[in-house]
Amino acid sequence: MFIIKCEAGFDASHYLSGYEGKCGKIHGHRYRLIVKVQSKELKESGSDRGMVEDFGYVKAALKEIKDLFDHKIIIEDDETGRRLIESLSAMPEIFDYVLVPYRPTAEEMSRHIFNMIKEKGIAVHEVELFETPTNSCIYRED
Ligand SMILES: [Zn+2]
């Protein structure tokens, strides 16, 4: 089994609706994303010969994920989230957001990222998303 690993990072804030405690307020993280791609066999022909996957292709997928979240507020697309956007939209020049169909925990985000990479035809094995240097979530399908 071969496993290749690519890493990216992005800065974003999120809002966890209904969370009791200080993380119930909008706050930011330096997210660190590690993606592992696996294959039992290496590609046998073409420019990817001898590879699990072209690192450049995986990096391009990670860049799309970074562009989706970087320097944005990640907000759940629910009633509270839409109210939050309404209240912030008086000053659209000072913030940007991304609406997601889930509570933006590390767990939900890592599953979302896993599926985004899988949709590109990449044999993703595992996604690990760090919210802090010591807290992360690993998502795998098995
Ligand atoms: Zn947080």
Side-chain angles (χ1 to χ4, degrees):
M1 176 68 70
F2 298 94
I3 298 175
I4 62 168
K5 194 171 95 170
C6 289
E7 185 169 335
F10 56 89
D11 299 298
S13 56
H14 64 168
Y15 174 64
L16 299 176
S17 176
Y19 185 90
E20 305 281 334
K22 69 177 183 177
C23 288
K25 312 231 186 252
I26 295 173
H27 63 280
H29 293 287
R30 170 68 182 163
Y31 287 96
R32 180 177 169 223
L33 174 62
I34 299 173
V35 172
K36 292 179 184 169
V37 179
Q38 71 172 17
S39 179
K40 283 189 178 152
E41 308 293 336
L42 301 178
K43 298 199 180 193
E44 290 182 351
S45 62
S47 69
D48 299 343
R49 188 163 57 91
M51 299 177 184
V52 170
E53 188 64 80
D54 186 339
F55 278 113
Y57 190 53
V58 182
K59 284 276 174 203
L62 294 190
K63 188 185 179 305
E64 269 186 45
I65 291 157
K66 178 179 176 165
D67 290 346
L68 176 66
F69 293 118
D70 195 40
H71 284 75
K72 293 182 185 166
I73 307 174
I74 306 163
I75 300 170
E76 183 176 4
D77 188 4
D78 64 357
E79 196 189 322
T80 309
R82 284 188 291 269
R83 275 181 48 220
L84 174 61
I85 288 164
E86 217 176 278
S87 66
L88 293 169
S89 61
M91 298 175 76
E93 67 281 8
I94 64 159
F95 85 101
D96 199 359
Y97 65 88
V98 57
L99 271 180
V100 292
Y102 52 79
R103 197 178 193 211
T105 58
E107 291 89 334
E108 293 278 17
M109 287 175 67
S110 60
R111 178 167 59 183
H112 179 199
I113 290 166
F114 184 101
N115 287 326
M116 283 178 73
I117 295 166
K118 192 180 167 187
E119 281 166 16
K120 301 207 163 290
I122 296 171
V124 55
H125 165 62
E126 177 182 294
V127 162
E128 182 167 18
L129 184 66
F130 287 80
E131 276 195 348
T132 71
T134 51
N135 297 342
S136 73
C137 173
I138 293 173
Y139 182 79
R140 289 185 200 142
E141 266 187 339
D142 46 52

